[in-house]
Structures are given as structure tokens and as C-alpha cells.
Amino acid sequence: MSTKNLILGSGLSVLGFLEKNKLNNFEVFDKNDYFGGHAYSHNINGYFFDEGAHISHSKNNQFLEIVLKNNDINFNQFKSLIFNFKNSKQLGYPIQLNLKDLAISEKTKIFMEALFHNKKNINKNYYEWLVSNYGEYLTENYYKIYTKKYWRCDPEEMDVNWVSGRLAKRNISKTLYSLFLKSDNNNLSYNKFRYPVKGGFFGLFHNLYKNKSINLNSKITKINLKKKTVLINNNLEKPFDNLISSIPLVDYQTLIPELDDDIKFNLSEFKYTSLISYNFKIKKKITINFQWCYFYDRDIDVSRMSIINNFNQEKNEDDFYIVQMEVFRRNDEKINYDEIDKNTKNHLINFFKITHNDIYFEKRFFVEKAYPIPLIGVEDKRLKILDYLKKNKIFQIGLYGKWKYMWSDQSFLDGYNFEYEN
Ligand SMILES: Cc1cc2nc3c(=O)[nH]c(=O)nc-3n(C[C@H](O)[C@H](O)[C@H](O)COP(=O)(O)OP(=O)(O)OC[C@H]3O[C@@H](n4cnc5c(N)ncnc54)[C@H](O)[C@@H]3O)c2cc1C
């Protein structure tokens, strides 16, 4: 009998796997009633909203070749126009390369810090990384506040292994230059990006799913390591030789009852953020040219806001904005929806200078797992757990499967380049 492989999930990592492995000795299962996982775009009243801001800024040739060429995808390319806001003041992005927008008293402090920079580069945690790269003033007054809003923890609690490719390193000449002149931002990892003309971010991948056979509404509810079976929707048992799984690592706490206690305990210490996504169509009363922005104020719940019709098909056609606001909470926090709803709506109204009557529609949705939080101590445990699963023929792929932040191209390629390790 041929080997029986079960593939769990249908997000981009599994799409990558299926694109490469055009065999017929496997079956694919996803708990959702749609395929695409976190890369899916939700149609709300005819407008597409992603699960948090999603753009493709990939520079990876393998990904670009497979996904974007020959797939008949209609997308636009944009030069990124991004801003920060603090105390209602618009500031350049990233802040450390746009110091000219700050008050003179702030600039003086940053300038003095840069002059007397302590060259010691001890980066035991993210806080130390921030201070050694951007200085204490920017760390305390900007990055630390934002970290608490977005990652829902103190930067001192976080590792630095996720920073590369996401945050620009210290560049003293550019920093000093930006005290006086506008920075060109050309060195940012997402200084340019692609976005489909139609269908939201998922429009980049939709065509690739067309010839794939995926069983939807099929939730894996238990895995039995001894019998080597999975239980689907609590009633259908399927044997497996190998599982290629993008199921979030933390979910194995409950999926595998026979899991060692210490693994269960380690998994219970892994934390993640959840996204509360607020989606609006509002009347255009002021003109906004940027695509997305970040809010550094402690009292504003929203971390990030995208003006979606500034980069999709609706641009300039009408007198409205399609807006998404993102609020994050940690999985061990209690979510007070009444407070967050109120805070977010007030912010929307103040920011866009509108009234309640200018909101054409609003829809909130919840993304239970947004980002695995790279807390100190997780890395070693994560690797041990992946190793344990591998020994039991469970091969983890993708962002949540590997419990490590990956951009969409990295998730796709993680599945595409997957090789069994026996
Ligand atoms: C808020 C946010 C913003 C992002 N922005 C960007 C961006 O701008 N650019 C970019 O390139 N990338 C971005 N990403 C990253 C990108 O979304 C991911 O890399 C990619 O979608 C992950 O794909 P995946 O296959 O690893 O995981 P997933 O998409 O999560 O796939 C896992 C699948 O497993 C299924 N599943 C889970 N449990 C079970 C079960 N028990 N039984 C059956 N099925 C199950 C789920 O339904 C899901 O379909 C962002 C991510 C987030 C969270």
C-alpha cells in the first residue's frame, strides 16, 4: 500500500506544498469553510478586507516566479507611503529616519544621544536592541509604547531573533541627516509593494488554488500518536504515515492528549496576539494620500490603520474611504469589546473629522491567532517541540506551524521547499 500523507491546513504554506508536490497519495483538510488561511480576504458588502494589513513586498525570485508570473494576476505596484501619528501629529516612517518631524526639544535629546552613543552592542532582549540601535529617547517614547500596543508585552520580555528584515538597523549618518532633511525611505524592506486590483490580498493567490483538492469544514479534533490516526470533526478517523501540518503549534496541547507533560507546559507558556479588525466604509471629508499608518499614542487602541481604497480598485473613484483599523490583544488578556469598540470608533470619527452619520457600514471581525510573540525562552522550546513532533511523523510548516513569524512569501516557500526528514 502506498504511503498515506495527510496535509493539515490550506493557508499559503500548504498552497506552496501542493504546488510542488503534485502527487495523489495525500488528502488535505481545513477547518474553515474557505481555503487560504490568514491570507484570505473577506468580502464585506462588496469590499475586500484582509486579516490585518497584508501587502506583498517580496523580493524572493523563487516566490515571484511561481506565484506572480504566468498566473494571470492583475496587480498594481506602489511606492509605499506610510506615516506615524502621535498626539495627532503626522510623523514620517520610520521614526528614526524622519527626525525632522519631531519637536526641537526631542531632536536635541536624540542628537546628543547619537553623539555620545555607547558602542557596546549587547542585545540580550528587544529593549536592548532598540536602545543600541535607536537610542533611549526613541525607545522609551516611541518604540516601547508601540510594542506594548502591538505585541502586548514589554520589549524587555522579547527576543531579538525576529527583528532582521522587519526593522532597520542603526544608521547614524541617515539618522543625523533626517534631523534636517526628508528621508527617501528607499532602504526599507517594504518601500515598494504589490496589491491585486481586485479581491484583496488573496487575489494574488486565488488562481493557484483552482486545481487543488481541499476538504473544507474538516477540523482535526484529535491526533493519536500511537495508532497514528487523526480524528476529523470528532467523528471520522483517518490513519496516516506522515502529517504535514500548518496547525498552530500551541494547539497540540489539546489535540494530542498523550503529549508529554513538559511539552504541554512549554506550549502553555507560548503567547500570541489576537487581532480585532474594524472595517469601515466612511464618507470622505478630508483627503488622505497615504496607504497605511501607525498610532503611537497609549490611549488610542488602534495600532495600525489602512486606507484600503488608496491601493485597490476603488482609488479616486468615489467620495468614500474603505478603512481597516487593527487592535491587538494578547491571548491571556480579557477582551473588553465595549471599551475597544468605543475607543476605536471615537478615533475613527476624530481622525477623519466625520460624524456617526458619515459611517456607511462597519464590521468587526476577530482573528484569534495574529502573531506568535517572540518571548525570550521560546526559541529553544519551539525547536525541541518541532523535533519531538517530527519523530512522530508530524512535520510542521508555515508561520503558526513553526511558531515563527514568516511573511507570506516565506510561508509559501516553507511549504514549497519542504522535504521529509526521516
Ligand atoms: C496581522 C497579520 C498581517 C500580516 N501581514 C503580512 C503582509 O503584509 N505581508 C506578508 O507577506 N505577510 C503578512 N502576514 C503573514 C502571512 O499572513 C502569513 O505568512 C501566511 O498567511 C501564513 O500561512 P500559513 O499557511 O503558515 O498559516 P495559516 O494561513 O494560518 O494556515 C493554517 C491553516 O490551518 C487551518 N487549521 C488550523 N487548525 C486546524 C485544525 N485543527 N484542523 C484543520 N485545519 C486547521 C486554518 O484554518 C488555516 O487555514 C501577516 C500576518 C498577520 C497575522
Side-chain angles (χ1 to χ4, degrees):
M1 215 174 96
S2 69
T3 310
K4 185 83 186 150
N5 297 317
L6 304 183
I7 320 298
L8 311 183
S10 71
L12 298 185
S13 58
V14 165
L15 178 66
F17 177 86
L18 298 177
E19 197 54 28
K20 173 83 163 286
N21 296 282
K22 298 194 162 96
L23 310 165
N24 54 10
N25 63 340
F26 55 75
E27 281 183 275
V28 190
F29 301 95
D30 197 291
K31 66 178 169 57
N32 290 338
D33 59 3
Y34 56 85
F35 42 75
H38 282 81
Y40 190 71
S41 305
H42 300 264
N43 184 336
I44 303 173
N45 293 3
Y47 299 94
F48 286 89
F49 293 90
D50 303 329
E51 295 201 351
H54 270 78
I55 46 128
S56 174
H57 58 278
S58 181
K59 296 184 173 69
N60 184 300
N61 287 333
Q62 191 185 20
F63 173 81
L64 297 176
E65 195 69 39
I66 304 164
V67 174
L68 297 185
K69 291 202 181 138
N70 311 319
N71 279 319
D72 198 20
I73 299 164
N74 200 357
F75 62 86
N76 288 318
Q77 271 188 288
F78 298 92
K79 190 167 170 16
S80 305
L81 199 52
I82 315 168
F83 285 98
N84 292 312
F85 282 87
K86 193 177 179 196
N87 297 328
S88 305
K89 195 174 170 206
Q90 183 168 316
L91 310 167
Y93 173 91
I95 194 77
Q96 72 278 6
L97 297 181
N98 287 280
L99 301 173
K100 66 166 191 36
D101 297 335
L102 301 185
I104 189 86
S105 56
E106 297 188 287
K107 287 187 201 175
T108 313
K109 281 181 195 142
I110 295 163
F111 181 66
M112 296 307 280
E113 272 183 12
L115 278 190
F116 299 106
H117 178 67
N118 174 359
K119 295 241 166 51
K120 258 198 307 179
N121 252 345
I122 309 166
N123 294 322
K124 283 204 301 287
N125 59 48
Y126 179 44
Y127 181 83
E128 289 186 2
W129 187 94
L130 286 170
V131 173
S132 69
N133 280 279
Y134 306 150
E136 206 165 315
Y137 185 82
L138 284 179
T139 300
E140 285 293 336
N141 293 283
Y142 290 87
Y143 276 91
K144 188 165 176 165
I145 298 169
Y146 194 75
T147 303
K148 285 190 171 184
K149 288 178 65 167
Y150 183 82
W151 289 105
R152 306 304 292 175
C153 62
D154 283 315
E156 288 88 343
E157 296 173 81
M158 292 171 69
D159 215 328
V160 288
N161 52 8
W162 58 279
V163 171
S164 169
R166 295 196 73 178
L167 292 175
K169 273 192 162 176
R170 173 182 152 85
N171 184 325
I172 185 67
S173 52
K174 284 198 169 162
T175 297
L176 292 178
Y177 176 91
S178 86
L179 280 164
F180 309 102
L181 295 162
K182 195 173 161 358
S183 152
D184 59 14
N185 284 358
N186 277 344
N187 59 335
L188 291 182
S189 62
Y190 33 89
N191 61 338
K192 285 190 195 139
F193 70 93
R194 306 166 199 86
Y195 199 82
V197 173
K198 286 206 161 81
F201 182 71
F202 193 56
L204 289 179
F205 304 95
H206 193 264
N207 285 348
L208 288 176
Y209 279 93
K210 277 186 183 152
N211 54 357
K212 312 282 185 296
S213 160
I214 297 169
N215 297 291
L216 298 174
N217 298 307
S218 304
K219 182 171 180 169
I220 306 304
T221 43
K222 282 280 173 287
I223 300 176
N224 188 320
L225 295 182
K226 285 200 188 87
K227 277 167 65 189
K228 295 197 80 187
T229 56
V230 298
L231 192 63
I232 299 169
N233 294 330
N234 282 322
N235 60 34
L236 176 66
E237 199 170 51
K238 288 242 169 208
F240 69 86
D241 292 311
N242 297 299
L243 284 186
I244 292 97
S245 167
S246 61
I247 288 184
L249 211 52
V250 285
D251 292 359
Y252 290 106
Q253 284 173 85
T254 48
L255 283 179
I256 309 178
E258 73 226 70
L259 207 61
D260 294 349
D261 283 347
D262 61 327
I263 294 187
K264 275 193 192 158
F265 176 74
N266 286 341
L267 285 174
S268 72
E269 299 218 303
F270 288 14
K271 303 289 177 233
Y272 55 89
T273 56
S274 298
L275 164 67
I276 307 156
S277 162
Y278 289 88
N279 305 285
F280 302 96
K281 177 178 176 180
I282 57 166
K283 191 169 190 162
K284 187 191 273 188
K285 287 220 168 152
I286 53 169
T287 300
I288 289 171
N289 60 351
F290 59 83
Q291 294 126 358
W292 74 93
C293 67
Y294 301 92
F295 295 102
Y296 280 73
D297 309 78
R298 278 197 187 88
D299 56 343
I300 295 172
D301 262 326
V302 178
S303 289
R304 185 165 56 186
M305 176 175 81
S306 312
I307 318 293
I308 297 174
N309 53 332
N310 275 354
F311 54 96
N312 72 2
Q313 77 276 21
E314 268 82 39
K315 186 167 165 55
N316 295 333
E317 278 177 14
D318 266 301
D319 62 345
F320 58 83
Y321 280 128
I322 303 294
V323 178
Q324 181 175 71
M325 290 177 152
E326 292 168 73
V327 175
F328 294 94
R329 287 292 180 269
R330 188 162 144 154
N331 63 306
D332 49 1
E333 280 180 85
K334 201 167 168 348
I335 299 180
N336 184 334
Y337 278 112
D338 288 345
E339 263 179 27
I340 304 172
D341 287 358
K342 206 166 142 211
N343 186 295
T344 303
K345 194 90 151 280
N346 280 342
H347 183 50
L348 177 89
I349 286 171
N350 292 336
F351 188 89
F352 288 95
K353 302 187 188 344
I354 56 171
T355 66
H356 282 271
N357 290 338
D358 297 325
I359 302 175
Y360 297 135
F361 72 70
E362 55 182 287
K363 171 95 179 165
R364 182 185 76 198
F365 61 78
F366 182 68
V367 179
E368 204 241 336
K369 292 190 180 74
Y371 301 111
I373 306 176
L375 292 169
I376 288 174
V378 162
E379 184 60 9
D380 282 353
K381 293 172 186 160
R382 181 184 82 83
L383 293 174
K384 277 187 193 141
I385 296 167
L386 289 175
D387 199 48
Y388 172 90
L389 291 173
K390 204 185 278 176
K391 285 185 182 130
N392 285 284
K393 300 289 177 198
I394 303 178
F395 301 91
Q396 291 292 109
I397 56 171
L399 195 174
Y400 309 89
K402 289 244 171 88
W403 205 254
K404 183 181 173 193
Y405 188 78
M406 294 183 197
W407 295 107
S408 53
D409 55 345
Q410 295 170 315
S411 293
F412 180 89
L413 292 175
D414 199 48
Y416 190 86
N417 295 323
F418 167 83
E419 278 171 22
Y420 298 96
E421 290 168 46
N422 289 305

